[in-house]
Amino acid sequence: MTAAATGYPVHVHARLDSGLSRWLWLVKWFLAIPHYLVLVFLWVGFAVFSVVAFFAILFTGRYPRVLFDFNAGVLRWSWRVAYYTYGALATDRYPPFSLGAEPDYPATLDIAYPEHLSRGLVLVKWWLLAIPHYLIVGFFVGGSTYVTYQAGETIRNSGGGLIGLLVFFAGVALLFTGRYPKSLFDFVLGMDRWALRVAAYAGLMTDAYPPFRFDTGGDEPATTTIDQAPKPAPEHRGWTPGRVVSVVIGALLLMTGGAIGGTGGFGLWADSTQRDAAGFLSTGSESFHGTGYALEFGTVELRWTDADWGLADSWLGEVRVKADDDVFIGIARTDDVTRYLSDVEHDEVSMVQSRVTYLHRGGGAPADPAAQNFWAASGTGQVTWRAEQGNWTAVVLNADRSRVVDTRLAAQAEVPALRPVSIGLIVGGGVMVLLGLALMLAAALTAGRSRRDDTSAAPAGPTP
């Protein structure tokens, strides 16, 4: 006996397991972490291969079979993990780490391979034509499950939205009754099926527009049973574990290289556009208010010896602190500042998660700061200092040494190394991106060659 599915080319089947654990669903988020980590990189591969498939369809009208197999496998893998976790919670059987069909698993997904796809439709179906479905599926799965790519928008069901809410109700029912309400299961599967159909359409895997039809339950509505032995498909090596690992490593290189290159690009942009007339980069002006005679800013440690890696003078260049009014600003070694302020009422300033905090210290009035000889750099309203090794602290006092220091300050620095470092990051990131793409495409090419070899070597089946 075999089931033959007709109708829409995306077939979603699932069965509700009996004897589900009452409590296991509470920790499945933790148990599925290995799958989540792998899927992050597999979805990067999905994105890259979708871009390649987009151009292949645009110029040839065909979706390369090896890329189709990989992307269909990513959707299958994601569906199994969602079914195990908070996209359904309908099985306690741990999902396999596989792109294959895995017909014995309680949740399966099959997508019919299209021999031909419209070259014109590929330009609009994944964004314009699918908008009505995106609105519906967004309500089902929640906005956090959208993953947008250049070649299309695909939807990975990982809980949230109405599905997440109803699955939570199912989990509560399991906890207290030990049973998963069948009507709830049917409704959840209807939403999952709708989302997966839209995912395949948006992923360019079919030209058949998803039906506006809510097909509930674990079986497709147009499935018939045929009393005949199924024809076994020839085994082929295709996407072996080694090639999948190559895609994962390639995706990791792609993401890391993109982040490094993006950081370099931002640095180059800042170096070109954010310097003032004197060539300084500046932070935003920040307000500071202390109730004592001085503001003491936390220690900055500068090291660039062989034993202590740090920030060299040629990297930071000159440092400037500017105030909006005439306050005394001094920069000195931390030990000297500590001695100077030991008997002075002042406030120690620190930044905690971008929020300014103050620690008030009791004492009396300070000695004339301008008369002290320990300052490495000092001035009124502005101070310029060339960084040296050591522990350094900045101090701000009113010029007349009165209590309550209320001012706005901005820090500036030359950072002459910003441009060469940014260029280096862009080059390094670009190399990593190219290596990642090369690994992914090499895996796809060898998988395609293996598939062709296996297909040509397979004996022809009997003619019906």
Side-chain angles (χ1 to χ4, degrees), residues 87-385:
L89 283 180
T91 183
D92 288 342
R93 181 177 167 186
Y94 198 72
F97 288 83
S98 168
L99 295 174
E102 304 294 338
D104 292 336
Y105 196 74
T108 61
L109 169 66
D110 296 302
I111 305 174
Y113 177 71
E115 294 298 333
H116 179 79
L117 290 167
S118 169
R119 295 194 223 183
L121 203 57
V122 75
L123 296 169
V124 295
K125 67 181 181 181
W126 52 271
W127 65 276
L128 179 61
L129 300 183
I131 287 176
H133 280 289
Y134 291 155
L135 298 176
I136 295 170
V137 172
F139 175 69
F140 287 165
V141 304
S144 62
T145 59
Y146 284 94
V147 183
T148 306
Y149 301 119
Q150 278 185 305
E153 184 166 342
T154 62
I155 302 166
R156 178 168 57 87
N157 185 2
S158 60
L162 186 57
I163 290 176
L165 179 63
L166 294 183
V167 169
F168 172 74
F169 291 156
V172 173
L174 275 173
L175 187 63
F176 289 101
T177 70
R179 294 180 62 255
Y180 195 126
K182 183 63 166 60
S183 59
L184 201 56
F185 170 80
D186 291 342
F187 194 79
V188 167
L189 259 292
M191 292 186 288
D192 286 333
R193 181 174 288 112
W194 195 313
L196 288 165
R197 288 171 175 172
V198 175
Y201 182 76
L204 313 179
M205 306 179 80
T206 179
D207 280 346
Y209 196 71
F212 286 93
R213 186 177 68 236
F214 196 76
D215 295 327
T216 62
D219 291 321
E220 293 278 353
T223 302
T224 57
T225 301
I226 303 174
D227 190 9
Q228 66 176 32
K231 183 193 297 184
E235 291 284 336
H236 65 82
R237 289 171 294 175
W239 285 104
T240 60
R243 292 176 184 131
V244 173
V245 170
S246 293
V247 172
V248 170
I249 294 174
L252 176 60
L253 288 171
L254 190 66
M255 295 172 66
T256 305
I260 292 173
T263 301
F266 178 79
L268 199 60
W269 168 82
D271 182 79
S272 302
T273 65
Q274 301 303 300
R275 293 187 180 275
D276 62 16
F280 282 81
L281 290 170
S282 179
T283 64
S285 183
E286 184 78 34
S287 293
F288 296 95
H289 178 84
T291 57
Y293 290 95
L295 294 173
E296 177 190 357
F297 292 83
T299 300
V300 175
E301 182 177 1
L302 300 181
R303 292 284 185 272
W304 49 79
T305 63
D306 291 337
D308 255 329
W309 184 91
L311 198 60
D313 170 76
S314 61
W315 285 56
L316 192 59
E318 285 192 341
V319 176
R320 178 182 293 169
V321 180
K322 296 182 67 175
D324 290 349
D325 46 20
D326 292 334
V327 293
F328 176 89
I329 305 171
I331 298 174
R333 295 190 180 275
T334 300
D335 291 343
D336 292 329
V337 170
T338 300
R339 283 192 293 270
Y340 175 64
L341 296 177
S342 60
D343 297 323
V344 175
E345 182 184 0
H346 66 283
D347 295 279
E348 296 177 2
V349 183
S350 59
M351 300 288 290
V352 178
Q353 297 181 346
S354 301
R355 185 170 61 89
V356 180
T357 61
Y358 300 90
L359 178 61
H360 188 75
R361 301 291 189 183
D368 183 4
Q372 309 305 312
N373 59 9
F374 59 80
W375 301 112
S378 63
T380 301
Q382 176 178 303
V383 63
T384 301
W385 171 65

